[in-house]
Amino acid sequence: MYLKNVDIYFSEGLNVITGETGTGKSLLLDVIGSFLDYQSLRSDTFSADMVLYIPEDIEEYGISKGQHIFTVERKNKRIFYKIDGKLVGKDAVQSIVSNVVTIHKQNSHMKLLDKDFILSILDNVAENSELLDEYTNLYREYQQLIRILSKSDIDVESKKAEELRERIEEIERANLSVEEESRLESDYKRALNIQHLLQNYNIAFQQLEEIEYSLRKIYSLIEDEHQSLLDSAVESIAELTNKISKELSNLEEVNLDDIETRLSVYRKLRRKYGPTVEDVLSNLSKWKAELKEIERTIEILNNASVEKLRIEKNLEELANKISERRKQAAKQILSKTEKHLRELNMNARIDFSFESKALSNDGIDDVELVGSTLSTGQLYPLRKIASGGELSRLMLAIELSLVSTYVLVYDEIDAGIGGLTAVKLADKLSELSKNHQVIVVTHLPQIALKADKHFVLQRTGDIGAVVELSDSERAEEIRRMFGGSEIIEAIDDLRRE
């Protein structure tokens, strides 16, 4: 079943849409709902334009007072929106349209059993939005503080901080650098080489002295004629000894122990926090940042008790203000709702039951609707005592008390309603249509009789059509809604009897 090439021109006043079950009335409401917050659209592909009168300029979206064309297109479950042919976001369209159009959906009366929905009604009437924003921001801060208190222990955090300080101090005290380590390694190799040369030269120097001493002892053992040769050997030894002595004096004195001691510091810290000096220095930066965060947490924990009490006090003050305004709003709603209920032929007592609860994201109020169909006695939660028809009428009475948009759309609000109540409901909608454009999908002939404009959905095969009825066609449709000519004739027969 689908609608194709449908044009509907609603008038001011009361517009009624009727038709047999299955002709597509709900599909038509889906189209209007697609400009609002409908979540379950039954058609994957459709396109529709809606001409809507905007009563005032909306600077945020560049919309001026007057008529505008809103367009919705759905293809493969993706939805696109336009205003006056210009592509815009869903939020913009829903924000603008929701200020002009309100839809009472089928089974929306079940929202009366939802405590969050009831709170939203009270807050809307009480104009609590600014207070709630302030409360929500403060409550978010409160929750963050609670999470810190629940997840952190000051003794554990202090121990972490102390361990980090020890590491940081150990590394900073060593004053490491990649450049110094490289220079030390080079100096160490050079120092080892110098030490090796010193050792060799010293050994050679000692041995040359011993050789010279031995040669001089030979003088007494040989003839004079051979001593000249011995002189030559002694002179050569003396010359070599002199050269080695000069070499020793020219060698740089290097303290190998100092270099080894400094390098041992690098090796130790690399083993503990490395494996490289770059890693050690990188960890130093990371641990400094961690220490700063832990110190901030410790500071918060140290001040947590005082801060928690301060925030709780402010939250309680705000929550009490919000609660008091909700209770005043409840009185306003009740005075109007009870009047509408009487006019809808429902003699019932209703009230908003307020119970205090612990601080939560929406305040301290646990609220639900309570009522009774008896003139005296205890009031009970509606979820325990109200039938679907009673809830429907109650929801309608509340909505009539809260009417805030120019266009009101009601999707089969007559569920569970008949007889004299149907007549009362028709009168109520007719009265409402004097100041609002009202569009009603209904099965009740009592409502159809009050229409300023009457449309019927007709189905041929899989295609539905919307037809605006003439006076004679209206009479025929209303006759069908009453049950046909036979029912009307039977009623006339009863009267004659």
Side-chain angles (χ1 to χ4, degrees):
M1 165 67 196
Y2 60 91
L3 301 172
K4 184 177 182 181
N5 299 329
V6 173
D7 292 320
I8 307 177
Y9 298 93
F10 295 114
S11 70
E12 294 182 351
L14 180 59
N15 297 266
V16 169
I17 302 171
T18 63
E20 295 281 5
T21 300
T23 54
K25 298 186 296 297
S26 294
L27 287 177
L28 186 60
L29 268 294
D30 277 358
V31 173
I32 299 176
S34 67
F35 291 97
L36 294 164
D37 61 349
Y38 262 34
Q39 300 297 319
S40 55
L41 301 174
R42 278 159 281 199
S43 178
D44 290 339
T45 303
F46 66 85
S47 175
D49 294 325
M50 180 170 68
V51 179
L52 199 61
Y53 180 82
I54 306 300
E56 58 185 15
D57 295 343
I58 306 177
E59 295 181 3
E60 180 182 358
Y61 299 111
I63 299 296
S64 59
K65 177 180 178 181
Q67 287 189 347
H68 293 272
I69 300 173
F70 293 80
T71 302
V72 59
E73 295 179 6
R74 188 177 194 187
K75 297 178 181 178
N76 299 321
K77 296 185 179 181
R78 293 186 64 190
I79 301 182
F80 304 89
Y81 294 91
K82 297 178 183 177
I83 300 178
D84 298 329
K86 182 181 178 181
L87 198 65
V88 295
K90 176 182 71 173
D91 291 343
V93 170
Q94 291 186 351
S95 175
I96 295 169
V97 175
S98 64
N99 286 324
V100 182
V101 181
T102 301
I103 293 186
H104 176 103
K105 307 170 188 176
Q106 290 187 54
N107 299 321
S108 63
H109 56 274
M110 298 305 295
K111 289 183 179 179
L112 292 178
L113 307 181
D114 183 347
K115 294 181 179 182
D116 289 338
F117 175 71
I118 293 171
L119 279 182
S120 69
I121 289 177
L122 295 173
D123 286 328
N124 185 51
V125 174
E127 298 180 347
N128 272 340
S129 59
E130 289 187 8
L131 274 177
L132 281 170
D133 286 343
E134 183 180 354
Y135 178 90
T136 300
N137 291 332
L138 191 60
Y139 187 76
R140 191 179 296 117
E141 183 180 343
Y142 178 70
Q143 288 295 96
Q144 184 179 13
L145 180 62
I146 294 295
R147 281 194 295 271
I148 291 174
L149 288 169
S150 65
K151 292 182 179 180
S152 303
D153 182 282
I154 193 166
D155 293 333
V156 173
E157 296 300 320
S158 296
K159 185 177 180 181
K160 288 180 185 177
E162 186 58 34
E163 291 174 353
L164 284 173
R165 286 192 195 98
E166 289 177 0
R167 294 181 192 175
I168 292 168
E169 288 173 5
E170 183 180 11
I171 297 171
E172 288 185 334
R173 191 167 53 245
N175 194 24
L176 305 179
S177 76
V178 175
E179 293 77 16
E180 185 194 26
E181 184 188 34
S182 177
R183 179 174 55 77
L184 285 170
E185 294 286 358
S186 176
D187 288 348
Y188 184 71
K189 291 178 182 179
R190 188 164 58 86
L192 282 176
N193 186 50
I194 291 172
Q195 189 179 51
H196 181 67
L197 286 172
L198 284 170
Q199 289 174 349
N200 289 342
Y201 281 178
N202 283 322
I203 292 171
F205 191 83
Q206 291 174 3
Q207 289 180 349
L208 285 171
E209 284 184 339
E210 291 175 1
I211 291 171
E212 183 181 359
Y213 176 76
S214 298
L215 288 173
R216 292 188 182 280
K217 287 177 66 177
I218 294 174
Y219 274 99
S220 61
L221 301 174
I222 62 174
E223 297 291 334
D224 291 343
E225 61 187 71
H226 299 300
Q227 288 182 355
S228 61
L229 293 173
L230 189 60
D231 288 339
S232 178
V234 171
E235 288 175 3
S236 295
I237 293 298
E239 183 180 355
L240 181 56
T241 301
N242 186 48
K243 286 184 177 181
I244 290 175
S245 179
K246 287 181 179 180
E247 289 286 342
L248 284 171
S249 64
N250 289 332
L251 284 175
E252 181 182 353
E253 286 290 335
V254 178
N255 192 329
L256 188 61
D257 291 340
D258 289 346
I259 296 175
E260 286 182 332
T261 300
R262 182 60 177 161
L263 281 174
S264 69
V265 173
Y266 276 86
R267 295 188 189 106
K268 176 185 176 182
L269 293 178
R270 286 206 314 268
R271 283 195 304 270
K272 291 177 72 174
Y273 310 123
T276 67
V277 174
E278 289 91 338
D279 294 326
V280 175
L281 296 174
S282 175
N283 285 330
L284 175 63
S285 297
K286 181 180 73 174
W287 291 332
K288 282 183 175 180
E290 286 181 12
L291 178 60
K292 186 176 180 180
E293 186 63 28
I294 291 174
E295 287 174 341
R296 178 176 172 275
T297 300
I298 292 173
E299 183 181 356
I300 292 173
L301 290 171
N302 283 328
N303 299 322
S305 298
V306 175
E307 184 68 4
K308 182 171 177 286
L309 289 173
R310 183 190 70 80
I311 293 178
E312 283 179 345
K313 181 180 178 182
N314 290 341
L315 281 173
E316 287 170 359
E317 289 177 357
L318 283 170
N320 286 327
K321 287 181 183 178
I322 292 169
S323 179
E324 186 57 36
R325 293 175 70 158
R326 284 171 175 168
K327 289 172 182 176
Q328 293 300 320
K331 292 178 181 179
Q332 296 176 36
I333 295 171
L334 286 173
S335 64
K336 295 179 181 179
T337 300
E338 288 172 347
K339 173 179 177 292
H340 289 303
L341 284 174
R342 288 192 298 272
E343 292 171 352
L344 289 170
N345 202 35
M346 184 176 178
N347 296 317
R349 293 180 297 130
I350 62 167
D351 199 358
F352 289 92
S353 172
F354 282 81
E355 297 289 340
S356 294
K357 63 180 181 181
L359 288 169
S360 66
N361 63 322
D362 56 14
I364 56 171
D365 294 318
D366 186 0
V367 186
E368 70 176 329
L369 273 169
V370 295
S372 174
T373 55
L374 302 177
S375 58
T376 60
Q378 185 177 349
L379 300 179
Y380 297 93
L382 293 184
R383 55 188 165 81
K384 293 184 177 180
I385 63 170
S387 65
E390 289 170 331
L391 283 175
S392 182
R393 276 181 283 173
L394 180 55
M395 184 68 178
L396 178 61
I398 290 175
E399 285 196 337
L400 291 172
S401 303
L402 302 175
V403 166
S404 59
T405 61
Y406 175 70
V407 182
L408 305 170
V409 182
Y410 294 98
D411 183 8
E412 298 191 10
I413 57 168
D414 48 28
I417 293 176
L420 181 59
T421 301
V423 176
K424 297 286 188 180
L425 174 57
D427 290 339
K428 181 62 64 176
L429 291 172
S430 179
E431 178 187 345
L432 189 63
S433 70
K434 293 176 182 178
N435 298 309
H436 302 270
Q437 184 182 41
V438 180
I439 302 169
V440 183
V441 173
T442 183
H443 289 289
L444 289 178
Q446 293 93 330
I447 295 176
L449 281 167
K450 297 286 186 177
D452 295 300
K453 218 170 193 181
H454 190 158
F455 302 88
V456 66
L457 268 90
Q458 299 173 344
R459 180 173 179 175
T460 304
D462 290 335
I463 300 177
V466 181
V467 179
E468 182 180 339
L469 300 181
S470 63
D471 289 344
S472 60
E473 290 169 333
R474 279 189 67 202
E476 186 61 32
E477 172 64 8
I478 292 171
R479 186 178 293 111
R480 179 197 65 78
M481 295 173 72
F482 270 116
S485 300
E486 292 181 0
I487 298 297
I488 295 174
E489 290 173 1
I491 293 173
D492 289 339
D493 289 341
L494 286 173
R495 286 176 176 172
R496 285 192 291 271
E497 292 176 3

